[in-house]
Amino acid sequence: MKLRDAPAACPSLWRCLPCPPAELRLDLVLSSGQTFRWWESSPGAWTGVLGGRVWTLRQERDRLWYTVYGDEDDDDDRDGRPAEAAKPDGAETDRVLRDYFQLDVGLPALYRAWGAADPLFRKVADDFPGVRVLRQDPVECLLSFICTSNNHISRITAMIERLCRAFGRRLCRLDARPFHAFPSLSALTGADTEARLRALGFGYRAKFISGSARAIAEGLGAEGLHQLRTVPYAEARRVLCALPGVGAKVADCVCLMALDKAEAVPVDTHVWRIARQRYSTALGGRSLTARAHQEIGDFFRGLWGPRAGWAQAVLFCADLHQGQQPAGSRDRAGGGRGKGSHEEEPP
């Protein structure tokens, strides 16, 4: 099956969920630095890896359409031919998508509450509806966000792609493009992992990825990392910050996007500037210290309430899309704010 096929072209292989744009905008959520495994495979269609399967998603009016592709292991006689769409197991695939996009959380009511509390939020809300926080696999989220320090979205996406191709199980091939699962912890704990990652261009992050993978494998384990969903935010944050390469911003990203801590507010230098320039010049002091992280997070939690991290995601997305550079311009990492940069000093 070709990626360009529309839902109507193959109805038996596509399913849909009711999902109006006010509840979800794929183009905003999947391109704004929460996840790095999706690409716009054709206008309005997004293809990526979720739960060890390859999916294509498309929105049409008030419905979210999706199809799931067969695993290469499902057809030993394919002889390298591209994967075909598999008839989805409806109840299970619906559940996976509803969980991933947290569709049980009603977004319009939250937008109204945040707008009532914050005139600045109200100014951008109408132009950026449907921005919600994903619920990701904790291991994938953690190791991905270790790659984000002093980096920008396009470069992070390329790094994660190289990581998955080098260490992850191959799932299928679509239009000559191979797709791989995110690596397991065991795949990243070999003695040569750091050297291989450095050869792939990960730089100092190679040590942190291999070190954190090893620390989790030898300590909490993947299941223990998942279990942090059940502990208080402060405790989950403390456990994460003890891992190699995990500072306050990375820990808050994982708490918010993988561990059900909706109150977590990730603060990088960009969010720090938003807080100081648009809310109060007294916020966060003169540099992004641990105290500044806490102060800015507490400020936004007081302003927006228990889902402050979700409201921050809307403002971050709005600022990212409003500030995108013209086509052909170069992203900048490190010293300047490039398109979709995640700036944080190396630990």
Side-chain angles (χ1 to χ4, degrees), residues 258-337:
L259 298 180
D260 299 341
K261 315 304 180 205
E263 70 270 39
V265 178
V267 179
D268 61 5
T269 56
H270 175 59
V271 174
W272 174 70
R273 284 196 292 269
I274 289 177
R276 287 177 55 81
Q277 292 173 4
R278 302 185 190 178
Y279 289 90
S280 171
T281 56
L283 269 176
R286 295 183 177 274
S287 61
L288 188 49
T289 62
R291 179 177 177 180
H293 275 273
Q294 189 66 44
E295 181 181 344
I296 292 170
D298 288 344
F299 171 80
F300 284 130
R301 282 184 281 273
L303 178 63
W304 293 324
R307 290 194 178 271
W310 285 55
Q312 183 263 0
V314 178
L315 288 193
F316 185 92
C317 177
D319 196 80
L320 168 63
H321 284 266
Q322 289 171 339
Q324 281 186 344
Q325 299 168 342
S329 62
R330 296 183 62 185
D331 293 347
R332 293 169 294 150
R337 167 132 180 108

Side-chain angles (χ1 to χ4, degrees), residues 163-183:
L163 176 73
C164 294
R165 289 194 182 193
F167 295 92
R169 180 174 63 90
R170 178 159 159 163
L171 299 173
C172 68
R173 181 170 59 89
L174 301 175
D175 288 351
R177 177 174 179 153
F179 286 81
H180 294 75
F182 196 86

Side-chain angles (χ1 to χ4, degrees), residues 74-117:
D74 293 341
D75 185 356
D76 295 333
D77 298 322
R78 186 173 288 140
D79 294 328
R81 288 181 287 114
E84 298 292 332
K87 189 170 183 178
D89 175 1
E92 175 59 18
T93 51
D94 284 1
R95 184 199 64 77
V96 170
L97 279 190
R98 293 193 65 85
D99 181 73
Y100 183 63
F101 288 110
Q102 305 200 70
L103 293 179
D104 291 337
V105 177
L107 206 52
L110 290 174
Y111 267 61
R112 288 192 295 271
W114 296 327

